Each structure stands twice: as C-alpha cells, then as structure tokens.
Amino acid sequence: METALEMREVCKTFYGEGEVEIRANDHVNFTLKKGEIHALLGENGAGKSTLVMNLCRRPDSGSVIIEGKELELKTPRDALEHGIGIAHQDLSRTLIERHTVAENVLSLTKGFLLSIDTVEEAVREAVQKFDLGDIDPKMKVWKLSGGEKQRVEILKALITDPGIIILDEPTSMLTPPEVDDLFALLESLKAEGKAIVIITHHLEEAIQISDRITVLRRGQVVDTLDEGRVQKLKSNPQQGVRELARLMVGKETLYDLKRQELKPGQIVLETQDLCVENDMGIQVVTNVNLGARAGEILGIAGIAGNGQRELLESIVHFRVARTGKILWHSDAGELNITNMSVGAIRDLGVSYIPENRRKAMVLDLTVRENLMMSYYSDSKGLLIDRDAMIQLTDELIEQFSVDTPSPLAPMRSMSGGNKQKIVVAREISRKPAQGSRRLLIAENPTFGLDVATTQFVREELLKQRDSGAAVLLVSSDLTEILTLCDRISVIYNGEIIGTLTSEEATRESVGLMMGGFVSDSIGSEEGN
Amino acid sequence: MTIEQTGSQIVIAATFFLIPTLGEMVTERSGILNLGIEGMVISGAAGSFAAAHITGNLWIGAFVGALVGGLLALIHAIVTVTFNRNQVVSGISLTILGTGLSSILGLGLIGVPIVPFGPIAIPGLSAIPIIGPIFFDKNMLVYFSYVMVPALWFILFKTRYGIMIRSVGENPMAAYTQGVDVVRIRYLSVIFGGMMAGLGGAYLTLAWIPMWVEGITTARGWIVIALVVVGLWHPVGAFVGSYIFGAFDVLRYAFQPLGVPTAFLNMLPSISTILFLVIWGVLLNLQKVKSIVGAPSSLCVPFETE
C-alpha cells in the first residue's frame, strides 16, 4: 500500500512552569498508509495529540512527508490545503457553542460574501453522505448532546473531503450504537482509500477498528504493531487488551512510598446525590455519593473533563451545587455545608490544592504574603500582627524546605516546584476548627513537577492521612492514584462508575474503568 | 416644538451615537474591546473639519475623519492583536492620545465657519406625514447610518465573512483550527471600528454642529461603549439603543423650563447608561440567557496559538 503520511524523527518540547522541560514528542517515527486505519494509543500526556498537531504547526525538529514530498505545515490552513482533516479532542476549544452547526463549519469555501444557506446545504448533504444521523445545520451547538457535538466535530473534519483523516478521541462522548455507526463509516472511508488515524484510550475499540496500532509512552514510540500482530489481537480481544495495556503503561516501578496500614476513621465529608452544572449550564456531575474518611486517601480517578473539576469546585463552593447535599461530620455533629461561603467552609478545616496553581496564589505578591493568605481572617483588629506573621512564615519556609532567597521574594520568581511547595505549606498548616478534622482536597497536585517535588508532595499527602486527616485526591495520573490511595472511585461522564479498594485495584482495571468500561468482576457500585 | 422638530433633533443626535456604535460592535464581535473610541471620535471630528476647511470638500473631510480614526485603531490592533497586550490600557491611552491629537488638528480652526452637509429630501418618502420630515429629510451621513444597520446585520449573520468575525470573537481557537486567519480578521474589525468612530466625529463637525471647539464631543464617545452592551452586540440593538440615547440627549432640554437644574440634566445620559448596564448585567447573567445572547465569549481574551 502507498504511504500517505510519514513523520521522521519528530521532536516537540514544551516548557512547563519553572525549568521543567516536557518532551512531548521525542524522536518519533510514524507512517500512515492509504486505505488503513491506524490507532495511536497511550496514557494521558504520552504525546498522541502532540504528534498529530505537528501537522498544523512545525515540530522543533524532524520532517513531515506527505505523498512523498517533505512539507512545512505551519498553520491549520496549510494542513487543510494538503488534504488533512482533523477532528480535535477538546470540543470546548473547537466548537462555538452559541453558533449553529452550519456556522461552525468555516473551512468549506473561500470567497467574501458567501451565503450561509450554501453551507447549510453542504452540511445537510455531508450528513447524509456520511450517515452521521440526525444533525440539523440550523441547530445551535449548545443545545446538542455530547454525542451530537462529537459528530459535528467529525463532520467538520470530513466535510472538506480530505485524503488523511485524523480523529482525536472521537468516541469519548458517543453511545455504543453511535460508536458502531462511526466505525462503519470509517470502514467505508477506508475502502475509498483514505488514510485514517484514530487516537483513543479505549483499547478494545483500537483492536476492533484498526489495521495497525502505534503505542506511545512519554513521548516515545514503544511499539508499532503491524497488520499480522493486530490480527492476532483481534482473535483474542481479552488477551489483546491486556497486552496493549502493558505496552501503554510499561513496567514502571511505583514510587517507593511507605503507606502504613491504617484503620479508616469516621466520615468527615459526605456528598449525597450531588449534581453540578458546568459554565454552560450543562449537568456534568450526576448523583455523586462520596464519603471521605479520616485517615484515608480517597482517590477520584478519571480522564480529564469527566466532571472532576466541577465536583471539587462545588465542595469548596467555588461553584453552586444544583441538587444534592454536602455534609460535614465533626465532633459537633452533622453540618450541611452545601452552599455555605468559601470562607466558612475553609474555616471548618477544608484545604484545597487546585490543579491550576495560578488559582492558588498571587504571582505579584511576596512568598510571605502568599503563605499568609488564608490567615488574614484570623487576625483581630485592623492591623497585621507583623511579628506573628514573620515567625509563622519563617517556620513554614523552614519546615517545607522552600528554596527562596528571601521570604520577600515575589512569588513570580519561584520555580514551579517551589510554588507548589508554598501552596501545599499554606493549605496544610492552617488548623481546622475546634473538634473538626481536616479535609485536604488535592487536584492533580504533582502535575508538571519534577521528580523530587512530586515525591515531596506525595509524602505530604501521606503524612496528612497518617495524622488523621481525610484526603480527597483527584488525579488523571494512574501511578499517583495507585501509589497513594486507600480507595479509588472512578468518575466517567460525571458519574462514579465504581469504587475499588487498593487491594482490588490494578493498573489495567482502573485504566479500563477510566474509559467507561465496567466489568462485573472489577466494579463494585458501592459509592462509599 | 412640534413633533417633527423634536423627532428630527432626536434623529440628528442619535446618528452621532449610531455610527461609532456600529463600528465598535463589529470590533467587539471579533473579540477586541476598543476603549479608545472617544479619542477616535474627537480626533476624527477635528481632522475632518480641518480637511474640509482646507480643501473645501465635505466628502474629503469625511474621508479624512475615517482615516484618522482608522489609523488610531491600527495602533490599537498592533498593540492588542500582534503583541497581545492589555486591551483596556491600550484603549484608554488612545483616548488620551486622540484627545491631544484633536487639539493639534484643530489648531487655528476655533470659530472658523463651514458650510455643513445639507439635508436632501428623499422623493416620495419625505412626503409621508410626520415620518417623512423626521427621517427622510436629512443629510447623507444620516442616510449612510440607516443603510449600515441592515448591511452590517446581513454581513455579520448571513455571510462567510461575518461568521468568521463572530467565530473569532466567540472561540478563536475553533476558527484558527479551521484555517481562519484570526489576526487578519481582528485587524480588519478593529480598523473598521476606528474608521466608523472617525466618521462619527466627522458627522459631528461637518453635519451636526458645523464648527470646531476643543472637547466638542463632551465625552459622549464613552457612551458608545455602553451602547454596544445595551444593543446586545447586534446592529438592530445598536440602532434602538442609539435612538433611546439620542432621545435622552434632546429631551433633557424639555425639563429645563420646569426648573430642573441643568447640571442634573447633563447627568441624565450617564445615569441612564449606568441604569441600563445594571439591568442588562443582571439579565445577561441568567444561565439560560447567557447561552443565547451576551458579550462575545472571547472578548478581551488574548489569543495565542500555543
């Protein structure tokens, strides 16, 4: 078969906060043939999306060869003009909610004053041709369901009739029958001789649909399975899934952290049938029942964007819960904290380490001021007790070994790791209310950190657990979840689809559940 | 005053709001807030007056007004689109710059007379009782503002070009990934807004009040920014809003004989602006309303491809 696309020795590096260097693509070689469906597999951050994005912005080094010609594709327009259609993963970045379906199709024709009616007609024709079900070109996108939105994004990729089709996580919001329809469509496009790349987390789907599979891990190609080997996987999908999962995650040794046995204590925080909406008023957390116990780390595992953020934000009341209750248990009895003010909730003993560190600090203030930020309400009277402040912050800098030239250095000048240390120090140091236990909520707390700081943060989480605090850890990093958590709840599409104890949980089982796959043997629908 | 006279004055005052509001609406639809409107209006007013005075041609004057506004807007585009700098800071600086520029352009022109754009009655339409004399016995710039309302509605909502402007203002990444040149669209929209502001200034000195004095706009350019919000970023809304504020501008003099202090009457446009913005702010914040109308989602959000 002819080669449609080849990428040779492609490298792309991103720079995180501080001096962290993320090698998203590290000398990747990839070939795509005409008339094949090629699956790209890998964990979060393995570099799958980065690899295909090299087709619409230049990689740092390496070459992109299309139809035998080495090309420089600098913008998405260049990609379009060379017959590449891409359906992106993050629909919030690629769909315009307030516009109609037809208005979302911008790639179609050139010209100055082209009537929208023409686009609507073209959308209607394409929907029929590709059998994408019931999509009204005049419908506003925000009214569409997740599956319909995903089909619109696929339509956008196909409508220019590209020779190379790239679908980034095209099935994450589709129902099983919709997935079957999509796969039938891909088969017919393949028969026409199109070259198709499908990026997915769902290992079974990859085995079912693809001719070849390339597995990425930490920016590098682990293996490319040719037609013969994929055929073998197809004959025994159960075995195949296990083999692919092993390739994806590797034989990574878990960090050497001592997690001593502890008997979980009483429930500190409980949610009852909690439902939360996102910014667009769409319900993204559905009937969540959780109980975080003292002396226990409860993990919430899931692929980003399945409602984790909204769930946490409703607990700390950055976001209003639509229905359901959030209860706080302390020596003083049960307290309904649903929709209490952020300050009151924090005073009870809730600490929060958000995923986006910028939400947790003021870059232009000093280290000292940032460390003090949750204490200001404690001071009596008008003035700040300077001596107490200096003593407290000096102690914290010492205790958490923050590497700063002076407590008066601006937060902006700190490296990513030190910023996170400061946030952790502040969140952990404040005493809970009398008779209350602490609840520490951590959201991807080690994202983008170097190894030493990662280890440090994880140890602090364990120390908190050992000291009797309840810890709620949201993470899309499986290693982190498996190393730290006593219990693991998996969230998918806003629902907790199963909870496992640390003994039951394996990399494969949690990984499969994160993709929405619940088998009777691994899922137990207990909630608490 | 007769109804015809009052109505006529309202149309004349409202046109001064309408032309820049339509321009700023297009600018904001592309995701850029231009707070330099006041500066562009006033320097457009001075520049057009100077050009018309020197050449003796009103049309050249109007063109120069648009040109001055467009050039100031180009600075805004360079700062906010190319360099992704703060839109508020850039806009306010341009208002200050434009006000200074107007003093230079207007040097030696204070008190100089000029023959303004005269009314041209539209045959047929102007014969309609009441409506005819109010709307269809006006100068060319007023007619231009009438035409621009449906024209911009058509461009924004019915053409590919308009869809690109709105897409860039709602979600520039979505437009970019489909090959739209976000930078170009934003540049054109910002410059168009500046030219309309300059033309609004030209309307002031070449049609409404045919003279130049410093501070001739009495800071009414700022109301334009509120009018875009009041008009819900829609040409028809901009039209309605401009006429409501034009009416405020005229009717406040009707209260004068009643003994209401002039100082208070002069506050009316500002007070009504604040009132409108509060009411609108509450309404627009409702979840259900938000998904249909409201500020362009990416207004004031810098766009970076990586």
Side-chain angles (χ1 to χ4, degrees):
Chain A
M1 270 186 286
E2 250 185 288
T3 304
L5 162 74
E6 193 180 348
M7 287 194 247
R8 279 193 208 141
E9 298 290 320
V10 169
C11 296
K12 181 77 197 175
T13 306
F14 294 109
Y15 296 91
E17 282 182 66
E19 302 85 49
V20 187
E21 199 181 70
I22 304 157
R23 291 199 178 174
N25 281 164
D26 191 1
H27 298 279
V28 173
N29 287 301
F30 178 77
T31 50
L32 176 67
K33 298 179 203 164
K34 287 186 181 167
E36 78 161 347
I37 298 176
H38 195 141
L40 267 181
L41 288 180
E43 283 191 298
N44 281 328
K48 299 165 299 201
S49 300
T50 308
L51 182 63
V52 297
M53 286 310 283
N54 286 327
L55 298 174
C56 45
R57 57 131 173 71
R58 260 175 307 182
D60 295 339
S61 65
S63 48
V64 174
I65 299 151
I66 291 171
E67 306 269 346
K69 262 184 285 183
E70 186 170 339
L71 294 173
E72 260 202 3
L73 303 171
K74 288 181 208 147
T75 63
R77 166 167 297 206
D78 293 340
L80 268 173
E81 281 169 359
H82 287 94
I84 300 170
I86 306 177
H88 294 271
Q89 169 189 12
D90 185 354
L91 299 182
S92 68
R93 277 161 72 83
T94 56
L95 290 179
I96 302 161
E97 299 265 343
R98 277 197 195 136
H99 288 189
T100 67
V101 171
E103 286 172 337
N104 265 277
V105 179
L106 298 162
S107 55
L108 207 51
T109 33
K110 303 223 162 63
F112 190 70
L113 293 177
L114 184 101
S115 162
I116 186 71
D117 297 340
T118 327
V119 183
E120 281 172 6
E121 195 47 48
V123 168
R124 234 173 251 127
E125 268 170 33
V127 167
Q128 206 144 52
K129 180 177 157 201
F130 299 122
D131 199 18
L132 285 168
D134 193 22
I135 295 177
D136 178 3
K138 284 185 190 296
M139 186 69 102
K140 300 273 189 209
V141 168
W142 63 269
K143 287 185 186 166
L144 300 179
S145 72
E148 286 170 317
K149 281 184 194 167
Q150 195 132 45
R151 278 185 278 147
V152 171
E153 181 65 20
I154 294 167
L155 174 83
K156 276 166 60 189
L158 297 180
I159 202 162
T160 52
D161 197 27
I164 298 169
I165 298 164
I166 291 160
L167 305 174
D168 194 349
E169 306 267 353
T171 59
S172 56
M173 296 173 96
L174 297 183
T175 60
E178 285 176 317
V179 172
D180 291 342
D181 289 348
L182 174 67
F183 284 1
L185 168 65
L186 293 183
E187 290 290 349
S188 72
L189 289 169
K190 175 177 129 184
E192 285 175 31
K194 310 266 189 209
I196 301 167
V197 177
I198 178 167
I199 298 176
T200 179
H201 281 288
H202 301 243
L203 304 177
E204 288 174 326
E205 285 179 0
I207 294 173
Q208 183 194 340
I209 187 72
S210 54
D211 300 304
R212 292 198 298 154
I213 297 175
T214 292
V215 184
L216 288 168
R217 192 199 309 152
R218 298 193 165 183
Q220 292 175 322
V221 173
V222 180
D223 203 351
T224 297
L225 288 76
D226 59 17
E227 289 86 348
R229 286 171 71 191
V230 174
Q231 211 55 46
K232 227 182 275 169
L233 297 184
K234 282 190 212 278
S235 62
N236 186 353
Q238 282 291 318
Q239 181 65 33
V241 166
R242 231 162 279 151
E243 191 178 330
L244 287 178
R246 196 177 46 74
L247 279 174
M248 262 168 68
V249 296
K251 288 201 182 67
E252 198 178 351
T253 47
L254 298 185
Y255 287 95
D256 190 24
L257 284 171
K258 289 269 176 297
R259 212 179 68 206
Q260 59 190 94
E261 285 306 312
L262 264 189
K263 255 182 113 174
Q266 56 146 325
I267 288 183
V268 175
L269 179 103
E270 193 183 356
T271 69
Q272 289 180 353
D273 297 322
L274 189 65
C275 297
V276 187
E277 290 174 349
N278 69 1
D279 296 336
M280 290 308 290
I282 296 158
Q283 184 170 317
V284 289
V285 173
T286 307
N287 294 331
V288 166
N289 292 294
L290 286 175
R293 296 200 185 111
E296 177 194 69
I297 299 183
L298 172 61
I300 297 180
I303 296 162
N306 272 291
Q308 300 95 314
R309 210 187 74 217
E310 285 83 0
L311 172 63
L312 293 190
E313 285 181 352
S314 71
I315 293 174
V316 291
H317 195 51
F318 288 1
R319 187 177 287 275
V320 179
R322 205 173 71 91
T323 55
K325 266 195 229 168
I326 304 166
L327 301 174
W328 182 258
H329 299 272
S330 65
D331 294 351
E334 184 182 293
L335 179 65
N336 185 348
I337 61 165
T338 325
N339 299 338
M340 263 167 64
S341 78
V342 177
I345 290 171
R346 289 181 68 94
D347 283 344
L348 285 171
V350 177
S351 304
Y352 178 41
I353 303 170
E355 172 178 313
N356 185 348
R357 281 198 272 289
R358 292 195 182 164
K359 270 207 272 186
M361 59 201 176
V362 184
L363 287 174
D364 290 321
L365 294 185
T366 63
V367 170
R368 173 166 287 152
E369 285 161 329
N370 271 285
L371 278 168
M372 285 298 298
M373 228 162 355
S374 46
Y375 286 89
Y376 287 124
S377 59
D378 290 359
S379 78
K380 306 266 178 301
L382 197 62
L383 300 175
I384 295 169
D385 181 351
R386 262 189 71 80
D387 294 340
M389 173 170 95
I390 290 170
Q391 193 198 345
L392 180 73
T393 50
D394 284 352
E395 270 172 25
L396 287 176
I397 289 170
E398 175 79 30
Q399 188 191 340
F400 289 86
S401 49
V402 178
D403 183 16
T404 170
S406 146
L408 297 176
M411 195 69 171
R412 192 179 291 285
S413 65
M414 298 287 108
S415 73
N418 276 306
K419 279 180 188 154
Q420 187 71 332
K421 278 185 181 176
I422 291 166
V423 172
V424 170
R426 184 187 67 214
E427 292 301 315
I428 287 178
S429 61
R430 185 140 183 244
K431 299 273 174 300
Q434 192 66 41
S436 249
R437 290 196 178 266
R438 179 195 307 288
L439 171 71
L440 176 62
I441 300 174
E443 187 180 7
N444 285 319
T446 60
F447 183 77
L449 296 182
D450 58 36
V451 178
T453 320
T454 300
Q455 185 78 0
F456 171 85
V457 171
R458 288 177 181 167
E459 275 167 7
E460 285 303 323
L461 293 182
L462 279 177
K463 272 190 212 159
Q464 284 303 310
R465 160 193 182 262
D466 295 346
S467 71
V471 180
L472 191 57
L473 172 67
V474 164
S475 180
S476 42
D477 181 347
L478 259 182
T479 310
E480 184 160 284
I481 290 276
L482 290 169
T483 327
L484 295 175
C485 297
D486 299 289
R487 278 188 305 139
I488 299 163
S489 291
V490 182
I491 191 165
Y492 180 74
N493 262 342
E495 288 180 66
I496 301 290
I497 61 167
T499 301
L500 307 173
T501 63
S502 59
E503 290 79 33
E504 290 172 312
T506 61
R507 214 159 241 286
E508 279 89 4
S509 62
V510 179
L512 287 173
M513 284 169 78
M514 280 164 73
F517 176 86
V518 188
S519 92
D520 298 334
S521 56
I522 56 173
S524 56
E525 291 274 345
E526 278 170 272
N528 328 311
Chain B
M1 266 197 309
T2 63
I3 290 185
E4 282 91 345
Q5 278 171 326
T6 311
S8 212
Q9 280 178 7
I10 290 174
V11 171
I12 286 169
T15 304
F16 172 62
F17 291 124
L18 181 56
I19 297 176
T21 302
L22 289 172
E24 173 71 2
M25 181 201 71
V26 171
T27 304
E28 289 193 22
R29 278 283 188 174
S30 81
I32 304 287
L33 177 70
N34 181 0
L35 292 181
I37 289 294
E38 164 68 14
M40 292 164 204
V41 170
I42 198 163
S43 55
S48 60
F49 190 82
H53 174 70
I54 293 163
T55 62
N57 186 323
L58 291 172
W59 287 108
I60 291 177
F63 175 75
V64 169
L67 194 71
V68 171
L71 282 174
L72 281 175
L74 176 66
I75 299 176
H76 190 60
I78 292 170
V79 173
T80 61
V81 181
T82 303
F83 294 110
N84 269 328
R85 294 296 102 195
N86 189 307
Q87 300 181 6
V88 173
V89 173
S90 167
I92 289 180
S93 316
L94 283 172
T95 286
I96 297 168
L97 176 67
T99 310
L101 182 65
S102 73
S103 305
I104 297 171
L105 291 173
L107 271 182
L109 294 175
I110 296 171
V112 173
I114 200 170
V115 181
F117 280 106
I120 300 170
I122 298 181
L125 288 174
S126 59
I128 305 170
I130 302 176
I131 294 188
I134 292 177
F135 289 102
F136 300 111
D137 189 12
K138 290 280 164 312
N139 64 62
M140 288 306 284
L141 290 177
V142 176
Y143 297 145
F144 169 77
S145 75
Y146 295 166
V147 173
M148 283 310 273
V149 174
L152 283 179
W153 171 80
F154 182 80
I155 289 174
L156 277 178
F157 295 97
K158 293 292 158 186
T159 68
R160 174 182 154 75
Y161 201 72
I163 294 166
M164 292 199 298
I165 294 176
R166 288 186 294 132
S167 301
V168 164
E170 285 290 331
N171 189 343
M173 190 44 100
Y176 179 73
T177 53
Q178 290 189 84
V180 174
D181 189 340
V182 174
V183 169
R184 203 184 102 219
I185 298 281
R186 287 194 161 170
Y187 258 81
L188 291 176
S189 304
V190 172
I191 292 170
F192 174 77
M195 290 178 74
M196 291 291 273
L199 199 62
Y203 171 81
L204 185 65
T205 49
L206 300 185
W208 189 7
I209 309 164
M211 59 178 233
W212 168 254
V213 287
E214 280 192 29
I216 192 169
T217 59
T218 55
R220 276 173 296 186
W222 289 105
I223 289 178
V224 166
I225 298 181
L227 277 174
V228 176
V229 181
V230 171
L232 297 174
W233 295 269
H234 195 286
V236 176
F239 180 84
V240 173
S242 299
Y243 274 73
I244 291 174
F245 277 74
F248 278 134
D249 213 49
V250 172
L251 292 179
R252 58 182 158 148
Y253 298 109
F255 292 100
Q256 221 161 354
L258 303 177
V260 184
T262 326
F264 180 76
L265 292 173
N266 287 338
M267 279 164 61
L268 274 181
S270 321
I271 291 175
S272 44
T273 308
I274 293 168
L275 268 179
F276 261 110
L277 289 183
V278 169
I279 296 167
W280 249 228
V282 171
L283 287 178
L284 289 180
N285 225 352
L286 299 175
Q287 200 64 258
K288 289 282 179 280
V289 179
K290 241 189 199 164
S291 49
I292 306 168
V293 290
S297 308
S298 296
L299 186 62
C300 281
V301 182
F303 172 68
E304 277 157 307
T305 52
E306 251 177 55

